[in-house]
Amino acid sequence: MAEYGQHPSSVLTLKSAHDFDATIARLKAALAKAGADIFADVDQREAAETAGLSLRRTRLILFGNPKAGTPVMAANPHAAVELPLRMVIWEDNEGHTRLDYRDVSQTLGPLYGIDTEVLVPLQRVVGLLQAAVQ
């Protein structure tokens, strides 16, 4: 993935076994089944085009579940900058669909001092996303 630039170790990049549209549909269905809300679905390619620029197919989805996120924000209000959760679905130069997700369970503890037990619900997100793109 070096050809696409560096990223923090907390950002996981998954390759989807499905095309772009099917990947988004599968992710949304998996989130809904898990009880997560989708707060926003931003077509970043479309936004770029309105500014006269070009961008590969790229969608930013903000999602979460207040039952998981509220205890984090109650423990440390600064941690709210990491919530809701977000993922980016994008198409690489070969036409494969990729998913980037910042695993906040890796960052909320060390950066915000959130206790491990509060992060347990957020630790499940990685597995949910992995299953959706297989």
Side-chain angles (χ1 to χ4, degrees):
M1 292 303 302
E3 69 271 21
Y4 296 105
Q6 69 183 45
H7 56 75
S9 62
S10 62
V11 174
L12 308 173
T13 298
L14 306 173
K15 183 177 176 182
S16 178
H18 309 280
D19 68 27
F20 191 85
D21 294 324
T23 297
I24 290 173
R26 290 175 62 87
L27 288 163
K28 286 183 173 184
L31 291 170
K33 185 177 179 181
D37 295 320
I38 294 176
F39 301 114
D41 180 351
V42 181
D43 187 332
Q44 293 178 311
R45 179 185 196 179
E46 183 179 287
E49 288 173 350
T50 62
L53 303 169
S54 64
L55 181 67
R56 65 178 40 98
R57 291 183 78 181
T58 306
R59 296 262 292 274
L60 169 69
I61 297 177
L62 302 178
F63 65 97
N65 183 321
K67 290 180 182 178
T70 302
V72 172
M73 294 182 282
N76 183 337
H78 300 291
V81 76
E82 304 290 340
L83 301 168
L85 301 174
R86 59 193 56 78
M87 64 179 152
V88 175
I89 300 91
W90 54 283
E91 199 169 68
D92 69 18
N93 294 339
E94 291 77 40
H96 300 118
T97 301
R98 305 279 180 166
L99 167 99
D100 283 358
Y101 169 71
R102 182 171 185 178
D103 186 359
V104 296
S105 69
Q106 292 183 30
T107 58
L108 287 170
L111 297 178
Y112 296 92
I114 306 296
D115 290 334
T116 306
E117 62 271 4
V118 176
L119 299 176
V120 169
L122 297 176
Q123 292 169 339
R124 298 182 186 124
V125 173
V126 172
L128 179 119
L129 298 177
Q130 288 173 328
V133 299
Q134 294 180 350

